[in-house]
Amino acid sequence: MGLKEKRAKKDGVSSSSSSPDQGRRIKTKPLHIFMARIIGLSVLPMFLLTVYLAGSHIHAFQAERDREAMERVENAASLLDHDLSARISALEVLANSPLLDSPASIEDFYRQVQGFHQRIGGHVVLANLSLHMVLNTQVAYGSPLPALPKPEGRAAAPAVLATGQPAVGDMFRDPIAKQRFVAITVPVLREGQTVAFLFNIVSVDWLQQHLESITLPPDSSLTLRDSIGDLMARTLSVGNHEEDSARDSDRQFATQMNRAHWTVALEIPRRAYLASLLKMVGTMAVAILTVTLASMIGGRLSSRRLSQSITSLAQDSSGTTSTPAISEFETVRRILNRTKVARDLSEKTLKESEARYRELFEANPHPMWVYDLETLAFLAVNDSAINRYGYSRAEFLGMTIKDIRPSDEVPRLLENVSGVTQGIDDAGAWWHIKKDGSSILVEITSHTLLFAGRPAELVLAHDITDRKRHEDELKYLATHDDLTGLANRALLLDCLNQAVLRARQSGSIVAVLLLDIDRFKVVNESLGHDFGDKLLCEVSKRLVSIVGTSATVARLGGDEFIVLLSEISEVDEIGLVCTQILNRLAEPHRIDDREIILTASLGVSLFPQDSDDGPCLIRNADMAMYRAKRGKGNDFAYYSPEMDRRAAETLELEGALRNALEKGEFCLYYQPQIDLAAGEIVCCEALIRWHHPQRGVVAPGDFIPLAEETGLIVPLGAWVLQEACRQARQWQEQGACGVRVAVNISGRQFGDPGFADKVGNTLQETDLRPDLLELEITESVAMERVQTTIQTWMDLNALGVSLSVDDFGTGYSSLSYLKQFPIHSLKIDRSFVRDITHNPNDAVISSSVIALAHSMGLKVVGEGIETREQLKLLEEKKCDMGQGFLFSRPVPFNEILQIFKKAGKHPS
């Protein structure tokens, strides 16, 4: 065999071939390389797709983690903002309280805000514009209070003063509690101007509790800082024991609150944040590397096998099927199968990534589920939904979303589902039914997706039941009186405006009945505030039982109530209701085994006759009430325009009263008291008169109550005491020896701890003997603050002055207290003496008072004696002294001197 034949045989070509290319070598290397490139190019798209999908999943995973972190931060900020808003709303209602309009009612306001302190948490502080505390519910009323401390950061008060709007300040340390607090501040506005500040001082522990209610991702911390970055509250996730997780952190998710200049931040350490991300990146890198190596090896092997198979086929020129060629094609098939395995491995890796993504769904602390948009059936639920609702997973997957809704909400649900659009949807709050039948309120957030190829919606349910209950409690407190549960002024005005609107359309009448309990202050002071509060609650219940649910009953504060009657067709109906209220309230009240009888005064104003404005109707009813109270009480009066004129005159009178003392417009008149047995003048009562330059003589009943209300009674009373002692000294010098002077003492004077010293100084300055001065204190004043005024009684008695209880029988005095007072005489009130001759009850009362006084060694004075029949009856009952028009009217000082000279005996 020649060399050519051997080469031909080696190349697989017969040496005897007659082909033109005989003897030419068949080269397989170029074909091999060409096939490898074709297979490599065919694998390249799959490789690029794998890289793209891996990158997309990594980015989506990171974005989802960031979204969840930011959602937790916003939830925490929203929770705090909700609570702050509710507190501000309640404070604004308190700031509008009419009790803040008068210094005399601040103590009543203190008791009102105690309810806010106890039910909502944190104490309430009222401060003036200099930030000096006026009251603080954390300490007893009247305790000395320091100025409010200023926070190192942003203070709320300057912002409130500048804007007139509520504000929340930074953290500060309270000087009383020695703890860290924040101040929620609202302005007390009067006529558009800030006149004071009302604070709700809340411990930062409250902020800490809110943060701890937020579920955190592993190894993270949630912080709350004020405007200057000071840490106010911080909570760590379960298992995180680092003292400062922020030191290793380069991932922080923060948001600023709406109601305060505070920042809520979620801090995740770098190692914790990147751990799961790096794990996913590593998995994707392995998948990509696997696909790449499989493609390279498979392409190399496939190109060799294919080139050999093609060569063998080329040599088989006879066209018969070669067994080796078939084997080669089988090899190629197996290689392609291995390439498919590599692709399946890539798909498996992607599915594992999706599984880890679903873990975020399962581990979410809020209930989540996926439901079919067509059938409404549950397709998937997480563990939190199972735990919260009580259904097992199998039970959930056999239900639809209609099964967890109340039946009356299903139509709204179907309407909502029919309007679902692409993207994230905030569906608002919905009531859901748990397996045990109880209801929870949830906020729904959802977005659409494809689940197993079907249109579906992923839902997150945030349980807000407790938050809603808390908000409802705050709203209730903001619109209801804490002591009685009745409507307060804010709710009353809303009801009144609605009633006026309905009446305007129907042509009916709206009546505002303002009720004030007669002499309630006496009851409150003599029997205690706790007893007074219980009595107010009983009055509230009785009012509601009288008018029923057809009317609104509200408490304005103190002992003032309003009954709102609407849809009235005849004015006569209102009078019947007023009479019924007064009669029912006058029935005995039984409290703490004590029976007490009350009366009340009612003022009535009407829409549309008197006004169409709610506050104006209340003001008119208030004026009418005072008109009823100026009579004998236990009565009602309708508003009239003349009352406005009267109110204007009263305001003018107050201005004149302030200057009258300086101008010397006051003088004293005297009315003698007669010893009924001896017929001699033994005492003269000093009575003040006001000679107004334009009005003439102003009756005491017109200016004494006004002086009491404005506080002018204190300097006025001091002048009366000084002048009476001076003039009594004069008549002693002119021969009326032994005739005492009696001076009436107001409640404000008697309540002054230094009053006895002032009396002593006056006696010394006027050189009047103490036994020639008699001080008259009304029964109601005597029973006010009994425990604190007993010492005043003792000090006055030690001076040697005489003490008398005036208007006896009209108050609520207790004999156990009365016997402790070092008094010398009782004065029977003129109301009993007036009817003593024809009213058997008044005769019995007068006789009982005289007998009681004599048994205690006291003298008795009968006031208001005007007829000889009255005088005769009192003499028969052994009354010691008498005073009244039968003997003499009140006369000026010069005339009383003439009486001393002429009279010594009373008319026989």
Side-chain angles (χ1 to χ4, degrees):
M1 182 180 294
L3 182 59
K4 289 182 179 181
E5 291 177 348
K6 289 180 180 181
R7 287 179 177 175
K9 186 176 182 179
K10 183 178 179 179
D11 294 333
V13 181
S14 174
S15 59
S16 58
S17 175
S18 58
S19 169
D21 296 326
Q22 185 178 2
R24 181 181 299 175
R25 183 184 299 273
I26 300 176
K27 297 180 180 179
T28 61
K29 185 174 181 180
L31 179 61
H32 171 75
I33 294 173
F34 177 73
M35 292 301 297
R37 290 175 177 173
I38 291 176
I39 293 175
L41 289 174
S42 67
V43 174
L44 182 60
M46 182 178 67
F47 169 74
L48 295 176
L49 178 62
T50 303
V51 173
Y52 171 75
L53 292 177
S56 298
H57 275 278
I58 292 172
H59 177 73
F61 176 76
Q62 181 181 1
E64 181 63 20
R65 287 205 56 180
D66 291 354
R67 188 191 65 79
E68 286 185 352
M70 201 62 202
E71 183 181 272
R72 285 185 172 93
V73 172
E74 290 173 348
N75 283 345
S78 176
L79 187 63
L80 292 170
D81 276 326
H82 271 293
D83 202 302
L84 288 175
S85 297
R87 289 173 181 271
I88 287 173
S89 297
L91 280 177
E92 287 177 329
V93 172
L94 293 177
N96 290 324
S97 172
L99 297 177
L100 289 175
D101 297 337
S102 171
S105 58
I106 293 298
E107 186 173 357
D108 292 332
F109 179 76
Y110 173 83
R111 290 194 295 272
Q112 178 184 0
V113 298
Q114 280 287 354
F116 186 98
H117 181 170
Q118 295 165 3
R119 294 180 59 183
I120 305 304
H123 51 283
V124 178
V125 171
L126 175 66
N128 58 26
L129 295 182
S130 301
L131 294 183
H132 286 279
M133 289 190 248
V134 177
L135 64 81
N136 186 330
T137 58
Q138 194 179 22
V139 298
Y141 181 77
S143 302
L145 298 170
L148 278 169
K150 295 182 180 179
E152 294 182 4
R154 184 178 184 273
V160 171
L161 192 59
T163 64
Q165 298 297 321
V168 182
D170 286 347
M171 184 173 58
F172 67 94
R173 182 170 292 275
D174 188 274
I176 297 176
K178 306 299 183 185
Q179 295 179 1
R180 295 182 305 155
F181 290 87
V182 293
I184 304 163
T185 311
V186 301
V188 179
L189 297 173
R190 295 297 182 266
E191 298 181 358
Q193 298 295 320
T194 301
V195 298
F197 300 108
L198 199 60
F199 299 87
N200 180 208
I201 309 297
V202 185
S203 170
V204 295
D205 293 340
W206 158 72
L207 303 173
Q208 183 71 28
Q209 292 171 5
H210 278 303
L211 292 193
E212 290 175 353
S213 66
I214 305 297
T215 305
L216 302 180
D219 297 321
S220 63
S221 65
L222 189 64
T223 62
L224 177 65
R225 298 179 184 272
D226 61 18
S227 64
I228 61 173
D230 285 347
L231 183 65
M232 303 170 68
R234 182 167 180 258
T235 182
L236 303 176
S237 61
V238 177
N240 184 4
H241 303 292
E242 293 187 40
E243 295 183 358
D244 187 6
S245 62
R247 66 187 179 190
D248 184 35
S249 172
D250 62 351
R251 292 296 297 175
Q252 186 181 78
F253 304 89
T255 187
Q256 188 165 345
M257 294 173 52
N258 295 325
R259 275 294 188 180
H261 291 263
W262 301 342
T263 301
V264 181
L266 178 66
E267 298 168 344
I268 304 176
R270 182 188 301 122
R271 54 176 178 75
Y273 181 81
L274 296 179
S276 56
L277 189 61
L278 291 175
K279 182 178 179 181
M280 175 170 283
V281 172
T283 303
M284 291 299 178
V286 170
I288 294 171
L289 182 61
T290 302
V291 172
T292 303
L293 291 175
S295 301
M296 292 175 62
I297 296 172
R300 185 70 175 174
L301 293 175
S302 298
S303 64
R304 285 183 179 277
R305 296 295 185 183
L306 284 173
S307 64
Q308 291 176 4
S309 299
I310 292 172
T311 302
S312 297
L313 288 173
Q315 291 175 348
D316 191 4
S317 58
S318 62
T320 59
T321 304
S322 171
T323 300
I326 294 175
S327 177
E328 294 298 336
F329 276 112
E330 182 65 25
T331 300
V332 172
R333 186 183 65 79
R334 285 196 300 272
I335 292 171
L336 294 175
N337 283 341
R338 283 197 295 272
T339 304
K340 181 177 180 298
V341 170
R343 186 176 70 250
D344 291 343
L345 178 61
S346 175
E347 293 177 353
K348 180 181 179 182
T349 302
L350 294 177
K351 289 180 180 179
E352 289 176 353
S353 174
E354 292 176 355
R356 281 189 292 274
Y357 181 77
R358 283 195 297 272
E359 287 179 3
L360 297 174
F361 169 83
E362 292 293 343
N364 197 293
H366 297 294
M368 295 184 71
W369 57 78
V370 179
Y371 73 93
D372 192 308
L373 281 172
E374 295 178 359
T375 65
L376 306 185
F378 285 100
L379 302 178
V381 294
N382 69 353
D383 292 339
S384 180
I386 293 170
N387 295 333
R388 189 67 56 88
Y389 285 79
Y391 295 102
S392 67
R393 195 179 304 275
E395 288 174 322
F396 258 122
L397 297 181
M399 298 163 54
T400 70
I401 59 173
K402 294 188 294 184
D403 297 326
I404 62 172
R405 300 296 206 285
S407 58
D408 57 338
E409 284 196 0
V410 170
R412 187 164 73 96
L413 168 68
L414 298 177
E415 181 182 355
N416 182 269
V417 171
S418 65
V420 168
T421 57
Q422 297 292 328
I424 296 178
D425 176 42
D426 291 322
W430 295 77
W431 285 103
H432 283 184
I433 307 298
K434 297 166 62 175
K435 185 176 181 179
D436 61 7
S438 61
S439 299
I440 58 174
L441 186 66
V442 295
E443 282 183 341
I444 296 296
T445 303
S446 61
H447 68 83
T448 55
L449 49 78
L450 285 177
F451 190 91
R454 295 184 59 82
E457 190 165 35
L458 173 66
V459 176
L460 182 145
H462 181 203
D463 189 347
I464 60 170
T465 309
D466 291 338
R467 190 183 80 193
K468 184 66 167 59
R469 185 182 301 112
H470 183 57
E471 290 176 354
D472 290 343
E473 289 176 356
L474 290 174
K475 290 179 181 177
Y476 181 87
L477 181 64
T479 56
H480 289 78
D481 177 60
D482 186 65
L483 175 63
T484 63
L486 298 177
N488 63 10
R489 179 182 288 269
L491 182 57
L492 170 68
L493 287 173
D494 182 61
C495 295
L496 179 54
N497 291 334
Q498 294 182 26
V500 167
L501 182 62
R502 291 194 301 270
R504 185 178 284 115
Q505 296 171 347
S506 63
S508 58
I509 300 172
V510 176
V512 176
L513 282 56
L514 194 147
L515 178 146
D516 184 270
I517 301 174
D518 296 332
R519 301 174 64 82
F520 177 75
K521 185 177 181 181
V522 178
V523 179
N524 212 22
E525 295 293 348
S526 60
L527 301 179
H529 290 295
D530 289 341
F531 185 90
D533 288 346
K534 292 178 182 178
L535 184 58
L536 290 175
C537 291
E538 287 300 317
V539 170
S540 303
K541 293 176 183 177
R542 194 168 291 189
L543 285 174
V544 172
S545 69
I546 294 169
V547 300
T549 57
S550 60
T552 300
V553 182
R555 180 179 177 229
L556 291 186
D559 60 331
E560 285 191 340
F561 298 84
I562 280 189
V563 177
L564 175 62
L565 303 177
S566 58
E567 304 296 332
I568 303 295
S569 56
E570 298 292 338
V571 176
D572 292 344
E573 299 177 30
I574 302 167
L576 294 175
V577 174
C578 292
T579 302
Q580 187 180 11
I581 290 174
L582 295 177
N583 291 340
R584 286 287 305 279
L585 287 182
E587 296 174 2
H589 297 261
R590 190 80 181 176
I591 300 172
D592 292 345
D593 297 327
R594 182 189 293 269
E595 189 174 275
I596 189 167
I597 297 177
L598 290 177
T599 60
S601 300
L602 267 172
V604 183
S605 66
L606 306 177
F607 167 85
Q609 292 93 320
D610 301 329
S611 177
D612 59 357
D613 176 68
C616 186
L617 284 169
I618 295 175
R619 182 179 64 85
N620 292 344
D622 189 54
M623 284 191 285
M625 182 273 295
Y626 278 107
R627 167 63 63 85
K629 191 176 285 289
R630 276 197 295 268
K632 62 182 180 179
N634 194 30
D635 199 0
F636 67 93
Y638 288 94
Y639 167 80
S640 65
E642 181 266 338
M643 294 179 183
D644 273 329
R645 181 185 59 78
R646 175 80 177 181
E649 291 177 354
T650 300
L651 189 62
E652 180 185 349
L653 197 64
E654 179 182 345
L657 183 62
R658 294 183 181 276
N659 299 321
L661 194 58
E662 297 178 1
K663 294 180 179 180
E665 296 176 0
F666 293 107
C667 67
L668 294 182
Y669 278 45
Y670 294 93
Q671 187 174 35
Q673 292 179 5
I674 309 298
D675 185 323
L676 297 184
E680 298 177 349
I681 299 175
V682 293
C683 183
C684 288
E685 181 179 1
L687 302 170
I688 191 170
R689 294 293 185 265
W690 180 13
H691 290 277
H692 192 278
Q694 285 80 37
R695 297 170 179 264
V697 178
V698 181
D702 290 335
F703 70 88
I704 292 296
L706 188 60
E708 289 274 6
E709 183 180 345
T710 58
L712 293 173
I713 194 67
V714 175
L716 190 59
W719 177 85
V720 170
L721 179 62
Q722 181 83 20
E723 186 69 6
C725 289
R726 186 184 66 81
Q727 293 183 346
R729 174 61 183 166
Q730 288 184 22
W731 73 54
Q732 300 296 326
E733 294 174 348
Q734 296 186 27
C737 299
V739 178
R740 302 188 309 275
V741 64
V743 178
N744 292 285
I745 303 301
S746 70
R748 291 203 179 193
Q749 284 178 284
F750 194 69
D752 182 0
F755 177 66
D757 293 334
K758 294 178 181 178
V759 172
N761 293 336
T762 301
L763 290 171
Q764 186 175 2
E765 291 171 3
T766 57
D767 196 24
L768 182 69
R769 284 182 6 224
D771 62 307
L772 296 177
L773 173 63
E774 181 176 302
L775 301 180
E776 294 187 2
I777 297 96
T778 63
E779 184 183 11
S780 58
V781 170
M783 297 310 298
E784 289 182 9
R785 302 182 180 92
V786 173
Q787 297 296 341
T788 58
T789 57
I790 284 182
Q791 186 60 46
T792 303
W793 287 98
M794 298 303 179
D795 293 341
L796 291 172
N797 186 56
L799 287 175
V801 302
S802 298
L803 299 171
S804 176
V805 174
D806 196 9
D807 300 337
F808 188 78
T810 60
Y812 298 87
S813 57
S814 167
L815 291 179
S816 62
Y817 284 126
L818 193 62
K819 66 183 182 181
Q820 298 181 44
F821 299 151
I823 57 180
H824 302 87
S825 62
L826 297 179
K827 297 185 74 173
I828 303 175
D829 185 67
R830 65 180 66 250
S831 62
F832 299 117
V833 175
R834 181 180 59 243
D835 299 327
I836 194 172
T837 57
H838 58 270
N839 188 326
N841 292 331
D842 287 344
V844 170
I845 292 174
S846 299
S847 180
S848 300
V849 170
I850 293 171
L852 172 66
H854 287 167
S855 68
M856 299 175 64
L858 305 177
K859 298 288 186 180
V860 181
V861 181
E863 281 190 286
I865 301 175
E866 298 180 358
T867 67
R868 296 182 182 276
E869 291 77 11
Q870 294 169 346
L871 172 62
K872 182 179 179 181
L873 191 56
L874 288 174
E875 285 179 328
E876 291 174 356
K877 296 182 181 298
K878 308 299 181 183
C879 182
D880 300 291
M881 289 169 283
Q883 176 182 345
F885 286 179
L886 180 63
F887 307 117
S888 173
R889 291 179 176 273
V891 296
F893 176 67
N894 58 345
E895 292 187 25
I896 197 66
L897 293 178
Q898 297 301 320
I899 291 177
F900 288 153
K901 293 178 181 179
K902 295 178 181 179
K905 299 285 185 179
H906 63 79
S908 59

